[in-house]
DNA sequence: CAAGTGCCTTTATC
DNA sequence: AGATAAAGGCACT
C-alpha cells in the first residue's frame, strides 16, 4: 500500500488549495477520534488496521503509509468546506468558532471502530477514553509494525465477541464491557451492514443503531456523524448542553431552560429537544456546527 | 497527598 | 411518559 521497494515507507504529498483547507490540529484534537498522538512534527495514528503518520507545513499535507485516495477520504477533503461553513454560519458565536478553527473537518471514520469507541466513551473524559481504547487495541487488535514501532489495528467484531466480559473489563471498560460484548456478538450474528446504513436516511439509520446494546441517542448521533456521513446529526453531551444554554437559550421556553440548567442528566426527551434544535437551526450540516461549537467550548469554556 | 468532582450517557426500574 | 438511580474508574484540582 504505502510501503516502498526496500521496506521503507513512501512519503506522499497533497497540495491543499485555499478553497480546500485542513486544520490538522483541530481536526485531530477536537475529540472525534481517539487514536492520534502528536510526536514532534508528525501525527501518528492507526486508522482501522493501518498505522500512518501525517503532518502539515503551510499548504502542503505530507503523509506516509497511506495512499492519497485513502487520506482524501479519511480527512473528507472532498467535502466542500467553504460551502458547509457558509451554511452553518448562522450567528456570531458559530462564526467565532469557525474563524478560530478554520479547516476543522469531520473525519470519515470506520463505522465499526467509531461505534465501539463511542460506546466506550459514554460518561468518560477524553484522556480516559484514549487510554481505554489503547488498552483495548493492544489486547485484542493485531500488531502492525511501522517505522520499527509497534501499533495495533482496531479489534474486529469477532475478536471482541470472543473476548470475555472480564477480559474487556481489564481494559478499563467498566460497565461498558457488557455493551461492547453484546454489540460485537450482534454484529457477528446479524452482520449489521454499515454500507446500507450509509444509504439510509438519517432517521432510519438512527433507529437501527439505537437497537444495539450501549447505544443511546448520543452514541448513535456520533456514529452517524463521524462515520456514516449524516451531517445533520447533532450530538448533545454535557458540553453542548452548556453551549446551548449559554448562547441559544432564547430559542427555548424559559421553563425548559431552567429545568436544563438544574437537572444533572438530560433525559431522553431533553436530548431530543436540544438535538432537534441543532438540526433545525443549523440545517443539513448541523454536525459541522456541533463540532466547531464543542471544540470551542472545550478550549475556552 | 487525599478527597472530591466531573466525565462527548445508557439502562433498568418505578 | 417521565423521572430517578446506578454504574466503574480515571483524570484533574
Amino acid at each position: 500500500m504505502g510501503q516502498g521497494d526496500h521496506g521503507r515507507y513512501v512519503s506522499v504529498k497533497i497540495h491543499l488549495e485555499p478553497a480546500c483547507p485542513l486544520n490538522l490540529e483541530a481536526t485531530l484534537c477536537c475529540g472525534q477520534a481517539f487514536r492520534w498522538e502528536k510526536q514532534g512534527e508528525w501525527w501518528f495514528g492507526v486508522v482501522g488496521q493501518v498505522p500512518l503518520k501525517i503532518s502539515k507545513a503551510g499548504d502542503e499535507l505530507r503523509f506516509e503509509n497511506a495512499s492519497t485516495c485513502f487520506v482524501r477520504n479519511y480527512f473528507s477533503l472532498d467535502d466542500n468546506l467553504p460551502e458547509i461553513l457558509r451554511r452553518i454560519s448562522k450567528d456570531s458565536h458559530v462564526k467565532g468558532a469557525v474563524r478560530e478553527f478554520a479547516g476543522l473537518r469531520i473525519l470519515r471514520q470506520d463505522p465499526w471502530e467509531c461505534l465501539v469507541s463511542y460506546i466506550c466513551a459514554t460518561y468518560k473524559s477524553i484522556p480516559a477514553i484514549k487510554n481505554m481504547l489503547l488498552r483495548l487495541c493492544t489486547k485484542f487488535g493485531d500488531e502492525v509494525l511501522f517505522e520499527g514501532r509497534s501499533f495495533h489495528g482496531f479489534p474486529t467484531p469477532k475478536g471482541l465477541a470472543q473476548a470475555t466480559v472480564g477480559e474487556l473489563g481489564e481494559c478499563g471498560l467498566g460497565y461498558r464491557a457488557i455493551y461492547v460484548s453484546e454489540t460485537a456478538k450482534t454484529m457477528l450474528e446479524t452482520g449489521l451492514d454499515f454500507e446500507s446504513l450509509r444509504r439510509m436516511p438519517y432517521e432510519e439509520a438512527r433507529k437501527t443503531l439505537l437497537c444495539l446494546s450501549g447505544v443511546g441517542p448520543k452514541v448513535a448521533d456520533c456514529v452517524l456523524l463521524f462515520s456514516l456521513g449524516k451531517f445533520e446529526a447533532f450530538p448533545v453531551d454535557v458540553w453542548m448542553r452548556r453551549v446551548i444554554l449559554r448562547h441559544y437559550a432564547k430559542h427555548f421556553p424559559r421553563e425548559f431552560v431552567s429545568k436544563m440548567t438544574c437537572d444533572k442528566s438530560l433525559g431522553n426527551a431533553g436530548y431530543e429537544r436540544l438535538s432537534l434544535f441543532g438540526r433545525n437551526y443549523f440545517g443539513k450540516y448541523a454536525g459541522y456546527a456541533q463540532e466547531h461549537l464543542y471544540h470551542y467550548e472545550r478550549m475556552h469554556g
Side-chain angles (χ1 to χ4, degrees):
Chain A
M1 279 265 279
Q3 196 152 12
D5 296 339
H6 308 290
R8 282 183 298 137
Y9 296 94
V10 177
S11 179
V12 186
K13 289 179 201 169
I14 293 179
H15 178 77
L16 297 168
E17 300 297 333
C20 180
L22 172 64
N23 185 335
L24 207 51
E25 203 80 15
T27 299
L28 297 179
C29 285
C30 69
Q32 58 179 319
F34 306 104
R35 295 241 284 151
W36 287 94
E37 292 297 336
K38 195 171 192 184
Q39 296 198 348
E41 296 287 292
W42 293 96
W43 284 95
F44 284 82
V46 186
V47 178
Q49 304 298 317
V50 185
L52 63 124
K53 69 178 188 179
I54 186 160
S55 73
K56 207 187 102 171
D59 52 9
E60 202 166 76
L61 196 60
R62 182 185 291 230
F63 49 90
E64 293 182 18
N65 204 35
S67 67
T68 299
C69 181
F70 184 89
V71 167
R72 292 196 71 84
N73 179 65
Y74 182 71
F75 287 95
S76 305
L77 294 182
D78 292 322
D79 290 348
N80 187 343
L81 196 55
E83 165 68 4
I84 291 169
L85 298 183
R86 189 184 63 74
R87 294 182 66 148
I88 63 170
S89 295
K90 300 282 186 184
D91 56 76
S92 60
H93 191 244
V94 232
K95 284 179 184 171
V98 164
R99 204 178 310 121
E100 179 161 341
F101 305 123
L104 166 60
R105 283 175 185 272
I106 304 284
L107 296 168
R108 208 182 302 270
Q109 299 188 57
D110 173 73
W112 169 246
E113 174 168 350
C114 193
L115 173 61
V116 175
S117 296
Y118 279 93
I119 289 174
C120 291
T122 63
Y123 209 59
K124 276 278 185 190
S125 62
I126 288 175
I129 297 162
K130 286 184 165 183
N131 194 8
M132 194 163 46
L133 291 174
L134 179 62
R135 286 202 266 171
L136 194 70
C137 292
T138 305
K139 197 173 174 71
F140 297 105
D142 291 335
E143 184 179 42
V144 196
L145 294 177
F146 175 51
E147 297 204 328
R149 286 173 54 191
S150 171
F151 292 86
H152 289 267
F154 200 83
T156 59
K158 193 177 177 185
L160 293 181
Q162 286 173 344
T164 67
V165 172
E167 289 173 321
L168 294 170
E170 288 168 24
C171 301
L173 299 205
Y175 63 89
R176 300 162 196 79
I178 189 80
Y179 302 148
V180 169
S181 176
E182 286 182 3
T183 292
K185 284 172 184 165
T186 303
M187 275 296 295
L188 270 191
E189 287 160 16
T190 69
L192 181 67
D193 181 10
F194 289 117
E195 283 314 308
S196 71
L197 290 185
R198 196 188 287 282
R199 275 181 254 114
M200 285 178 194
Y202 165 77
E203 296 286 359
E204 201 181 332
R206 191 172 195 259
K207 274 182 195 159
T208 308
L209 289 173
L210 285 172
C211 296
L212 296 166
S213 176
V215 178
K218 161 64 168 60
V219 172
D221 279 333
C222 286
V223 175
L224 290 164
L225 177 60
F226 299 133
S227 73
L228 295 171
K230 306 298 180 208
F231 294 126
E232 67 265 56
F234 194 84
V236 178
D237 64 347
V238 289
W239 297 91
M240 284 310 296
R241 176 167 64 171
R242 287 197 277 264
V243 171
I244 294 170
L245 289 176
R246 192 174 315 133
H247 299 283
Y248 301 97
K250 66 177 179 186
H251 296 274
F252 299 90
R254 166 166 303 181
E255 179 189 284
F256 179 72
V257 172
S258 51
K259 192 158 87 75
M260 278 295 134
T261 313
C262 300
D263 279 16
K264 279 231 138 212
S265 67
L266 76 167
N268 197 35
Y271 181 94
E272 297 302 344
R273 203 158 170 182
L274 295 180
S275 183
L276 185 61
F277 158 73
R279 266 174 287 156
N280 289 337
Y281 180 75
F282 290 109
K284 65 184 287 198
Y285 296 111
Y288 256 95
Q290 188 274 358
E291 211 49 22
H292 279 82
L293 293 170
Y294 173 79
H295 193 44
Y296 191 87
E297 179 69 13
R298 284 180 52 87
M299 296 290 106
H300 303 287

